Structures are given as structure tokens and as C-alpha cells.
Amino acid sequence: MTAELVRGQNHPLSQARLEIRVSAGTPVVAAATLGDEQGRIHGVEWVAHPGTPTLPGLEVSRQAAAAHRLAVDLDAMPEAVHRVSVLLALPIGGGGPTRFGAAATPFVAVTGLDGTEIASYTITGLEAESAVVALELYRRQGAWKVRAIGQGYAGGLADLFADQGLAQAHQLAGGIHEAVAQGMARSVPAPPTRTDGDRSRQTAAPALGPDQGAPGAGSGSVSPQPTSPYGTHTPGAPGQPAPQPPYQSGSGAADPAQPAAPATGGPINYSHPGRQTAAPPPPPPAAPPAQPGQPARPVAGDATGWSMDERLYNQVWGMFEDLARTTAAYRSAVDFADSRMEKELDQVLSDPRSRIGGQGDAAREAAQAKHAQLVNQARATLDRDLAQLTAEVEVVEPALPPAYAGWDNPIWHGYRVPMEIPMALRLGDLHLPESAELRIPMLVRLPLERGLWIDSGRGASIDGSFTDSHDLRRLAMETAVAHAARLLAVYPAGEFAVRVIDPAGSGAQALVPLVQSGVLAAPPAVGAAGVADVLAQLTQRVDLVQMALRGGAPDALPPDFDTAQQLLIVNDFPHGFDDRAVNQLRYLADEGPAVGVHLMMVADREEASAYGPLLDPLWRSLLRLTPVPDDHLADPWVGHAWTYEPSRVPPGSQVLHQVLTQVAAARAKYR
């Protein structure tokens, strides 16, 4: 039976291997400190946080999220450790609340490895505090207990660490927030929590014994509020429309995910369809049940949502999460097997009598046999889950709409200019080394809430072996053109425009599909004068829309104002940019997405190194993509490093030309 604790109450712990689960209404940073008998921290090496997530017997999440799982092994704690304090803090500069009083009440639970709750604590009474000691595990007379603390600090992590006796409190707090900011910059954030809890396949952890759980088996988080690359707004739950940004392009048509209003009698419903809160319809009927002992047969669209597009979007994210978690369970099981074998071998070697003769050899062989058994068992579980995921991908991929489909999908051959904006856009594929053949589509919510950076530097490949800078720049520009073409293709006619800055004309060859088809809003700008002119126009546009919105008069824009979303492709940065142009570019990156102006940089960061840290916020504000495979993106649940591969047009294919030709024809009719 779960013990529901109140502040100051304690409860005995009968298990050594535990999970501490955190649930909050907004992304929070989860950390833990190790303390002596007086609760004092002896140094920064006694703090587990996103920058240093693993300590002996302890593992925390690597990034801020709305939910966390911290892994604890009390038997592995050093003898000097008598307290483990679990900390929560609000991240700085993420656009979320700055005090716990403005967020939902955090909930913390201590569970066994099987998920059974041992004790839970709802942290109430927080107002101006931005950091809190949620609970502590403490050792008393050889036994461990958990105590609900709920001590908040208005001064944040710095005050909290200082109160626990850490001399480097301010430096460590700053380092943690910096690590969180970097993690958010490289993380692919999940959409809101799915309501389809009964997916046909749930990822299972390796079937280990009760004493064989891996400390990191669940370290991660689920469903934080979107940050990157989905932006800072919080979309509705699956099956519910996302809140619209303050500026909308086009005619303002209803959300395509919304069902038509029922034609029934009774009073008129004046509520805005974009704010409907009714539950979404259930998933479509499942496939015929599988044979006993066999996994369920996958079905395309097997998730909740108002439309098939939304169901497929949620299903893709479900596959993404399942692959992340089953791989985390496998890696944790292997880590546990390695540490167990190492411990057993150390015990054998610590006894001089077992170092020679058959006794030592037998002990070593037994330890290695146990290790192989655990690893094989974990791999079998992983292979089972991978087989189910592969079967699901094979069903889902052919059913994806153009916005979600790869360029090699036959659906593009029947392409027609859409009448409505889709929910999301595919930017490429993601995969892990344990399952290199299993690719998960990387879907980005629309409208874009964050700019894109196509890295043309030599370090853009996994091993840095791609040394031909000319070819890499060409591939980067071709990747940018493919992304721009996809954006043009998925928006209705006249609702998306592309501009290009190419100061030296080095991207002329790659830009041929956009230029010859006539889909660009204007010819590519060249030279310093062209750079200044385009940036001045877009900066003025952002200023106009912001003034209209702040003045409460969005209809007061000039009659000839182009309401289409704008994408600016910048090639060969910082060539042709002076200090004023650099500042304007930073302004567009920060303020543009909220008012329909988006940035796509094709650049090598090293070439802009002369600006020093001045441009660090710019690079961090953009979602970094690469023209070649690179493992620089992280999932929002566990923090795996995923290999990203861009969505490229197959060699010799005419699909890009055909699609852009239709887009240009539709634009001509729209005018």
C-alpha cells in the first residue's frame, strides 16, 4: 500500500533499488545531492545534475522535462553518504514559469523497479520559490527511510546549494542551467502526453530478476512542453488542436484537425473551434487479433486524434518514444551486467587464495557466464521490441501524407497543392546504433517556432571524415533547398513565401530548382547591398506586425500587406554581413517566428568565430541539422544521442521539379 506522505513525515524503505518519479505541469530540472550525516555536501562531485547525470548508485535525467525518473541503488552508495536529497528547479530562460506558484503542483513518488509505489508526496504551499528539496532518502542505524521535505528557495538552486554547505553554490547553479539550456537546444521535444495509453505494443524492460534492475532503466522523462524544434507554445493534448500563435497567415481557415460542428438543434455554440476541449474520438478499429502468444498486428493511424493526419503524427511519436525506452532498458541492463561482473571479479581477486589454481578460474568463468546470460536476455527483449516496431514502421510509412512522407514515397507522384496547413513537417529520419535499419520520421510541428541551421562545417558528420568542404557546402545547400521545397509544398497556395540571401552567389547551382520554377518571392539577394535590403524589409515586417498586435489592432496592417509566412534562407554566413546586419539577423531569429518570419541558416560556425560569444545565442536558438548523418540530436525522454539523416531527393528523381511546378502554378492562380 502506498504511503501518502505529508511534509516532515517519513516511511521505511524495504528495497535498495528504487525509482523516484517526478511529475510536474511544466518542464523542471531534476537533480540530487549526496550528503553526510549532517546533510552537508562535500563538493560539486556530490551533486548529480543534467551536466553530470551519474554518480555511484544514482542517475538523474539529462535535461529539463515535465516528468522524470531518477534511478537509485542504495546498496551502491558510498559509506560516507547518509542522505540523498532530490531537488527540483525551474529552468531559466526557457519561456516557462519562474516560480512554482505559477505552475501545477509537483508530485514525487518512490517506486520499486516494477513500478509499485512505496511512498508519494505532493509538494504544496510553494509560491515564489524556484527551487525545492522535494524529499530525501536517509540512512539511520543501517536502514534507509524516505522523508517528505518540501523546502523551497526563492533564490533558486544557488540558495539551495548554499544552504547545504556547498562553497561553489553559485558556480554550480550556473553550470546546471547552462547544461539544461544546451540540452534543450539539441533535444527533439515530445508532443503533449498521449491519451492512448493502450498502444498495441508497450515497451518491456529486460526480464531481470528482482535484484537485477539497472539503475538507468528509466532515467528520462515523458512529454515535456515542447521546446525545440516544436517551439515554445504548448500544443493541446493529442486529439486537440494546438493553440494558434498570435499571428496567423492566410485566410485564417479553421484548424484541419477540428471536426465539423454537429448539425443538431438546440442553442448555438459560440465557442471558438480552436479551443474545443472535448475528448478526441477513439483510434480506428484495430486489426484482427493476433494469435495467442504473438504480438498485436500493427495498424496505420492506431492512435487518438481528430483526423488521420493527427493519428499518424501521434503514432510516429509513440514509436519514437517506444524505441527510446526499449533501448534505454537494454543499455541499462548491459551496464548492470558489466558492473555485476566487475564486482564479482573484484571479489575473486581480493582473496589471495583464489588468484591461483582452479578456484579462481571457475569463479571468473561463472561471472562471465552470468554476464553473458543477462546480456543475451536483454538483447532478446530488445530484438522482440525492435521486430514489433519494424513491423509498425512498414505499415505506417506507406500511409503517411506528403508532409510526413519521405521524398521517395510514391504519394508525391500524386501530389496536389493542399487547401489546409498540416500539423507537422518531416525533416529527416532518426535512428540508434542498436537498430540502425529502423528509422523514425523526425516530424516538426507547424508553423515553425524555431529557425533551422544547416551546418556546412567539417564537423557536421559523425566522425568528421567528410573533409571536402566544397562538397559539404553543396550538400548543405541542397538540403536547405529540399526543406524549403517541402515547406512550400505543404502550405496552401499563397500562404508561404521563400526569400534567399546568397551574398557571393556560391549557392546558385543548388538554388536552380527554386529559381527556375518561379516559387521564390524575389531573386536571390547578392552582395552586401542585397543583404541589407532583404534584412531591412523583414525587420520592418516584424516591427509592423508586433506593433499591430501590441496595439490590439491586427486588422490595421496595410491593405497590400502580404500575410504569407516568410522563410529566409541565408547562405554563406557571415560573408556580406556587417555588424548591423548581424544584429538584424539575431533579431529575426528571436522575434520572427512569433509573427511568421522564419530563418534557415546554411553556415559553418567556425567561419563566424571572429564574433566570439556574441553569436552563441543565435546558434542556440536554431535547430541544428546536418547534410550528412550525424548523432547530435537527443530524445526528450532518456537523452539518447540519435543519428539524424536529412530527407533527400533520390538521385535522378524528378519529384522535386514536379512538385515545385505545381506550387508555382497554384501561386500564379492565387495572385
Side-chain angles (χ1 to χ4, degrees):
M1 182 176 178
T2 304
E4 299 181 0
L5 305 179
V6 297
R7 185 172 183 177
Q9 187 178 2
N10 60 40
H11 185 76
L13 297 173
S14 58
Q15 303 178 39
R17 306 183 69 82
L18 305 166
E19 274 191 356
I20 299 175
R21 303 188 179 187
V22 178
S23 177
T26 187
V28 297
V29 180
T33 61
L34 306 181
D36 57 18
E37 290 183 281
Q38 288 73 41
R40 312 293 286 182
I41 307 174
H42 288 196
V44 294
E45 65 276 6
W46 281 41
V47 182
H49 57 82
T52 307
T54 304
L55 293 179
L58 180 63
E59 184 174 354
V60 303
S61 303
R62 290 168 170 79
Q63 52 206 33
H68 294 270
R69 293 184 183 181
L70 284 65
V72 179
D73 183 355
L74 298 176
D75 286 343
M77 289 292 168
E79 289 295 327
V81 173
H82 289 263
R83 295 189 190 182
V84 181
S85 300
V86 177
L87 324 175
L88 304 179
L90 294 171
I92 295 176
T98 58
R99 58 186 184 89
F100 277 108
T105 302
F107 173 81
V108 186
V110 180
T111 74
L113 294 180
D114 58 356
T116 303
E117 284 193 5
I118 301 171
S120 64
Y121 174 41
T122 301
I123 310 173
T124 59
L126 298 178
E127 289 295 337
E129 297 87 346
S130 60
V132 60
V133 179
L135 50 81
E136 69 175 10
L137 313 179
Y138 65 98
R139 178 158 41 190
R140 184 71 53 82
Q141 296 178 347
W144 286 90
K145 295 183 178 181
V146 57
R147 176 186 290 123
I149 302 296
Q151 176 63 53
Y153 296 83
L157 285 174
D159 284 4
L160 188 156
F161 290 140
D163 191 44
Q164 294 192 359
L166 184 63
Q168 307 93 331
H170 289 275
Q171 295 89 327
L172 179 58
I176 291 175
H177 288 300
E178 176 67 18
V180 170
Q182 292 178 358
M184 294 174 68
R186 66 187 290 266
S187 173
V188 182
T193 306
R194 298 193 311 272
T195 58
D196 56 325
D198 56 346
R199 272 175 58 84
S200 60
R201 175 241 324 108
Q202 295 292 336
T203 301
L208 302 178
D211 65 334
Q212 297 172 355
S219 65
S221 52
V222 267
S223 304
Q225 289 183 349
T227 51
S228 100
Y230 293 89
T232 55
H233 67 286
T234 306
Q240 298 178 4
Q244 298 299 318
Y247 169 73
Q248 283 292 314
S249 64
S251 59
D255 188 335
Q258 287 296 323
T264 58
I268 298 174
N269 181 7
Y270 290 98
S271 62
H272 192 289
R275 290 164 178 77
Q276 185 157 345
T277 57
Q291 297 296 325
Q294 298 296 320
R297 298 176 183 176
V299 178
D302 187 17
T304 56
W306 291 110
S307 65
M308 179 56 74
D309 284 6
E310 188 173 4
R311 289 170 177 170
L312 288 169
Y313 172 80
N314 290 333
Q315 187 173 13
V316 167
W317 270 97
M319 295 187 297
F320 188 15
E321 181 178 353
D322 286 347
L323 182 54
R325 293 199 180 281
T326 192
T327 305
Y330 169 73
R331 292 180 180 180
S332 296
V334 172
D335 288 343
F336 171 77
D338 291 342
S339 62
R340 175 172 177 169
M341 182 177 68
E342 183 178 353
K343 183 177 180 180
E344 291 177 349
L345 292 177
D346 287 343
Q347 290 176 347
V348 171
L349 295 175
S350 63
D351 186 355
R353 294 171 298 178
S354 63
R355 295 178 186 173
I356 56 176
Q359 182 180 357
D361 293 338
R364 278 188 287 271
E365 291 176 1
Q368 292 169 353
K370 289 180 183 178
H371 176 272
Q373 180 185 6
L374 291 176
V375 172
N376 291 337
Q377 193 172 1
R379 186 70 211 192
T381 301
L382 176 65
D383 289 342
R384 180 198 65 199
D385 290 341
L386 292 181
Q388 290 181 261
L389 280 167
T390 300
E392 188 169 8
V393 168
E394 291 174 351
V395 171
V396 170
E397 276 285 1
L400 294 177
Y404 304 174
W407 286 112
D408 57 351
N409 193 309
I411 196 170
W412 283 107
H413 296 288
Y415 167 78
R416 294 293 182 270
V417 177
M419 300 298 293
E420 296 173 328
I421 302 173
M423 283 189 61
L425 182 83
R426 184 172 186 161
L427 290 180
D429 297 330
L430 299 169
H431 65 87
L432 291 170
E434 287 85 355
S435 51
E437 299 302 319
L438 180 57
R439 309 299 174 94
I440 303 296
M442 178 180 171
L443 302 182
V444 178
R445 287 293 293 265
L446 293 179
L448 294 173
E449 291 290 332
R450 188 179 180 189
L452 305 178
W453 166 30
I454 315 300
D455 189 355
S456 60
R458 293 188 179 183
S461 59
I462 293 179
D463 56 3
S465 59
F466 203 105
T467 57
D468 191 325
S469 60
H470 177 75
D471 284 348
L472 195 56
R473 290 172 187 272
R474 175 183 54 80
L475 286 174
M477 198 60 191
E478 290 177 354
T479 301
V481 168
H483 290 325
R486 184 183 288 268
L487 282 164
L488 284 165
V490 302
Y491 270 80
E495 294 197 19
F496 198 86
V498 176
R499 295 170 175 265
V500 177
I501 289 178
D502 188 19
S506 59
Q509 182 179 356
L511 289 168
V512 165
L514 299 179
V515 174
Q516 290 188 349
S517 61
V519 295
L520 291 180
V526 297
V531 172
D533 183 54
V534 172
L535 292 178
Q537 292 179 30
L538 292 178
T539 301
Q540 183 183 31
R541 175 190 178 89
V542 172
D543 291 340
L544 278 174
V545 178
Q546 284 186 338
M547 286 190 293
L549 293 175
R550 291 169 182 169
D555 297 333
L557 292 168
D560 59 346
F561 187 84
D562 183 8
T563 59
Q565 300 268 320
Q566 305 285 318
L567 174 68
L568 175 61
I569 301 177
V570 179
N571 184 38
D572 210 13
F573 177 82
H575 182 81
F577 282 74
D578 55 19
D579 291 345
R580 175 180 173 83
V582 169
N583 288 331
Q584 288 177 320
L585 195 68
R586 290 183 56 189
Y587 176 71
L588 292 178
D590 293 338
E591 304 294 336
V595 292
V597 177
H598 312 287
L599 192 61
M600 184 185 294
M601 299 274 291
V602 182
D604 179 359
R605 185 171 183 174
E606 291 299 320
E607 294 185 354
S609 58
Y611 287 94
L614 175 67
L615 291 182
D616 285 352
L618 171 64
W619 303 118
R620 191 176 297 166
S621 69
L622 304 173
L623 173 63
R624 177 176 175 257
L625 303 176
T626 53
V628 291
D630 184 55
D631 56 351
H632 66 282
L633 292 175
D635 66 80
W637 304 284
V638 185
H640 292 316
W642 292 72
T643 298
Y644 164 80
E645 291 192 23
S647 182
R648 302 184 62 83
V649 180
S653 173
Q654 295 298 313
V655 63
L656 190 63
H657 172 73
Q658 296 169 3
V659 168
L660 290 177
T661 299
Q662 291 199 42
V663 171
R667 284 169 56 90
K669 293 179 181 179
Y670 175 80
R671 292 171 183 169

